[in-house]
Amino acid sequence: MTHNTSNLRIALYQPDIPGNTGTILRMAACFGIGVDVIEPAGFDISDRSLKRAGMDYLEQAALTRHADWETFQEWRLSEKRRLLLFSTKAATPYTRFSFQTGDILLLGRESAGVPENVHQAADARLIIPMVPGARSLNLALSAAIATGEALRQLHVL
């Protein structure tokens, strides 16, 4: 397997469900991708279901916690990284977008997505197309789909 040289990151905006976060951390550890959790999360980071979903990969995961949106945004801008928001309200399919080294894939809160100011701060808003009538995918599945396409385009997978 090729090591991740994309410097890609996944950011989770105030995640609600520890199992999803654990699954994303496990996936990210397997691909060598950093994960940013933008607080407050809807659970304690030491939650048992987070640990169960992440299994023994949590120690390998490159997790960075940001106290709030403003702190994350300040860090991101200082790093000069593009922010790509995955949203059911977006119009551009993720498969028609050109990912770049250093991109941050942002996924919103399971219960509420992200507020308008976060939408506005994104450099691009991307959608994972679904059949008519489908409301949304599970957050961890969305992260996996987005990550897989970004790594494929960046020739990491």
Side-chain angles (χ1 to χ4, degrees), residues 22-87:
T23 299
I24 291 166
L25 285 167
R26 179 179 179 176
M27 176 195 65
C30 288
F31 290 131
I33 295 171
V35 176
D36 297 283
V37 171
I38 302 163
E39 302 277 358
F43 55 88
D44 187 300
I45 214 75
S46 64
D47 188 283
R48 192 172 65 216
S49 54
L50 171 79
K51 290 179 180 173
R52 188 177 322 120
M55 297 178 66
D56 56 344
Y57 292 89
L58 291 183
E59 286 142 22
Q60 298 171 37
L63 171 63
T64 303
R65 295 166 66 185
H66 302 272
D68 52 34
W69 168 252
E70 291 74 22
T71 304
F72 168 78
Q73 202 39 356
E74 202 172 284
W75 167 81
R76 177 186 78 86
L77 293 171
S78 74
E79 292 280 314
K80 296 178 175 51
R81 291 176 178 263
R82 288 195 313 177
L83 185 65
L84 313 177
L85 174 62
F86 283 77
S87 171

